[in-house]
Amino acid sequence: MLWDEGTWEPKGDPGAGLQKGHLSFTLHGARLKGDWDLVRMHGDGKKENWLLIKGKDAEAREDGEVAAFLDNLAFSVTSGRSMDAIASGEKPGKPSKPANPERTTKAAAARRSRVPGR
């Protein structure tokens, strides 16, 4: 399932951010938008763990809105199929829910690539 699609814009040098263990970026997706931080967690050293944190911006949701956001978007952004529909072999031509109107098209890609302030 393709849950989201879009572009991302790093804040600062992404290579330096990854090396440091703190990458800040803005997402311009069909579903996920706004400021985000990817932070390396310090653990036992056996495995790297990263924490994805949503920034407090105009795209952030209140605690009660988060569950509804995920429940209402439990289908592919490109085909409109749920995981159950995909597992059962349902064809993409007959989506169980309407496909996202922002699916990949030249016009949608052009809108997503325009970043304010650039």
Side-chain angles (χ1 to χ4, degrees):
M1 171 189 292
L2 181 62
W3 191 83
D4 197 9
E5 63 183 347
T7 61
W8 73 288
E9 176 184 4
K11 293 182 177 182
D13 177 12
L18 283 175
Q19 185 102 23
K20 181 180 163 186
H22 186 161
L23 178 63
S24 294
F25 52 93
T26 302
L27 291 177
H28 306 282
R31 294 179 173 170
L32 295 181
K33 299 172 179 25
D35 297 334
W36 296 80
D37 291 290
L38 191 57
V39 181
R40 183 183 300 122
M41 305 293 292
H42 298 287
D44 58 13
K46 293 179 183 175
K47 185 176 176 185
E48 275 192 2
N49 291 303
W50 291 80
L51 180 61
L52 182 63
I53 303 168
K54 175 68 184 102
K56 295 184 189 243
D57 60 13
E59 299 295 339
R61 290 174 169 76
E62 297 295 323
D63 288 341
E65 297 174 313
V66 174
F69 171 76
L70 293 175
D71 289 344
N72 293 334
L73 297 174
F75 57 93
S76 171
V77 72
T78 55
S79 71
R81 296 180 299 166
S82 68
M83 287 301 292
D84 289 339
I86 293 167
S88 72
E90 182 180 302
K91 301 293 181 212
K94 298 178 183 179
S96 56
K97 292 190 178 189
N100 188 324
E102 282 291 315
R103 55 190 285 204
T104 305
T105 65
K106 290 180 183 178
R111 283 193 301 276
R112 285 192 304 269
S113 67
R114 283 187 229 125
V115 177
R118 280 179 115 180

